Amino acid sequence: MAPPATLVRSARHLWQCQWRLLMGGLGPADGQGRYRRPAGAFTSLPPLPEDAAEAGSHVLIVGRSCPWAHRAWLTWTLRGLAASIDTVVVVPDPDAGRWRFSEAFEGCSTLIALYRRCGADPGARATVPALYSRRKREILVNESARLIELLNAWPAAPGAPDLAPPDDLPAISTWRERLQGEVNDGVYRCGFARNQAAYDEAEAALFTALEDVEASFAAQGESGGGWLCGGSSPSLADVVLFPTLIRMELVYAPLFGCSRRPLWQLPRLWEWRRRFHALDGVAGTCFPTAWRRDYFGALFPLHPSAIVPAGPDLATLVGSPSPAAPAAPHR
Ligand SMILES: N[C@@H](CCC(=O)N[C@@H](CS)C(=O)NCC(=O)O)C(=O)O
């Protein structure tokens, strides 16, 4: 038998009060209910360290599910920085709501303990990515937008691409600025919106930006290099777009409501994603099972059951041309 309407109404009211409280734990909102990402602790761009080229001199701390860490991991991969920068992968502790080290790192078992030891403000969030100097025993930077710039300036492996060539810098900066707010943070603005109007605004901005990326690929035509800023190799603009788009069908569409246009309806973007995923080393930074488990398992206010959905299989998203692409004509 269905429960009485009054019981449903009071349960809904009670849940909504609790939901608002719990959402506050995920991040702050402005007066209109729009999600506002809090500022980090070590956010300015540091100079290139003197010992940058020394083997194992630095450590890049990442988490598998974090898209901000993913862009740093991709930059590290594409620039071939394994000789001088080690990586350490932290794992989420969903009950405590923090990152922990699988094995003690510099005497710390949690990321927050390392942050405190490095002098972070007691109220600061301990976020990934973070770049740690072994010699100074300090976190140099934890803002991914600056960190990828630093990693691109780092002494790289021979033949590694410059992800921000001077001639393309204006286009790269324009795209990066737009993608950061409307796409990278945009999916969170959808998922963490506190009301319908805040969601509608973020969702419209997200899909307008993605349609504009699609249009920009169309404008490049056959002569374009296949990358967002037109060059013959990817740039930092491509690097920041990928972590969001590769999580789209797996997490952001089902969990954050970013579902108006499935990506296959933007065939150039679909093809770009397939091409980026095929770059050397990129597949090794993608962990669909961990992404699903971490997002669906940890974001309690959005998904109280913590049931982790199955699929889609990543291979079906990156392994073939867009299903919407026109078939080649028969000869
Ligand atoms: N501004 C940071 C944001 C990074 C961020 O929010 N990372 C999340 C994971 S996706 C985190 O570590 N959160 C832990 C916390 O807030 O305590 C950046 O872009 O590097």
Side-chain angles (χ1 to χ4, degrees):
M1 201 173 70
T6 46
L7 188 64
V8 173
R9 261 200 305 279
S10 57
R12 182 177 293 160
H13 177 72
L14 204 65
W15 166 245
Q16 276 171 353
C17 295
Q18 285 180 350
W19 180 76
R20 274 192 207 97
L21 269 177
L22 290 165
M23 287 300 286
L26 291 185
D30 69 10
Q32 272 75 49
R34 304 185 194 104
Y35 169 63
R36 288 285 172 257
R37 184 167 290 278
F42 308 96
T43 55
S44 36
L45 178 64
L48 188 66
E50 281 166 18
D51 58 346
E54 281 174 29
S57 56
H58 291 78
V59 181
L60 178 63
I61 303 171
V62 292
R64 289 190 181 91
S65 49
C66 175
W68 312 100
H70 197 181
R71 52 165 69 170
W73 204 343
L74 288 168
T75 310
W76 175 88
T77 302
L78 296 174
R79 298 277 296 158
L81 300 181
S84 54
I85 306 181
D86 296 332
T87 51
V88 164
V89 180
V90 286
V91 292
D93 179 348
D95 294 331
R98 62 187 184 189
W99 295 106
R100 62 177 172 74
F101 293 101
S102 302
E103 281 171 26
F105 175 76
E106 299 283 76
C108 300
S109 58
T110 61
L111 190 60
I112 189 87
L114 183 73
Y115 266 62
R116 297 283 176 276
R117 218 210 53 207
C118 292
D121 213 61
R125 297 177 323 141
T127 56
V128 288
L131 185 69
Y132 181 79
S133 160
R134 280 210 166 98
R135 181 163 58 93
K136 292 188 170 169
R137 305 192 77 209
E138 268 176 19
I139 293 173
L140 299 184
V141 55
N142 80 337
E143 173 55 51
S144 61
R146 304 287 79 80
L147 180 44
I148 58 176
E149 290 163 2
L150 182 65
L151 295 181
N152 189 52
W154 208 268
D162 180 359
L163 301 169
D167 286 352
D168 298 339
L169 269 184
I172 295 171
S173 305
T174 305
W175 271 120
R176 277 186 62 195
E177 197 168 319
R178 181 152 186 219
L179 296 174
Q180 175 82 10
E182 295 171 16
V183 176
N184 305 137
D185 205 36
V187 291
Y188 285 88
R189 291 177 190 174
C190 293
F192 292 1
R194 305 299 206 271
N195 57 47
Q196 188 69 48
Y199 164 82
D200 290 346
E201 183 182 290
E203 195 271 351
L206 167 67
F207 281 97
T208 304
L210 294 182
E211 282 159 8
D212 287 352
V213 175
E214 177 76 8
S216 136
F217 280 126
Q220 278 185 27
E222 294 300 309
S223 58
W227 304 109
L228 193 46
C229 296
S232 57
S233 58
S235 73
L236 288 182
D238 299 283
V239 166
V240 300
L241 183 57
F242 183 77
T244 300
L245 287 200
I246 196 68
R247 287 165 174 72
M248 212 63 175
E249 294 88 341
L250 297 156
V251 179
Y252 299 144
L255 187 62
F256 289 0
C258 305
S259 46
R260 178 155 50 109
R261 291 197 72 177
L263 210 68
W264 58 262
Q265 288 185 357
L266 302 168
R268 293 177 182 84
L269 211 44
W270 177 283
E271 178 54 23
W272 167 89
R273 183 174 68 174
R274 193 196 59 72
R275 207 167 33 247
F276 193 99
H277 181 266
L279 292 171
D280 258 5
V282 169
T285 66
C286 296
F287 305 94
T289 306
W291 296 344
R292 266 197 298 268
R293 191 192 52 223
D294 291 358
Y295 277 93
F296 285 94
L299 295 178
F300 171 77
L302 297 183
H303 192 61
S305 78
I307 292 170
V308 181
D313 184 347
L314 190 65
T316 63
L317 307 177
V318 294
S320 60
S322 160
H330 272 299
R331 294 196 184 267

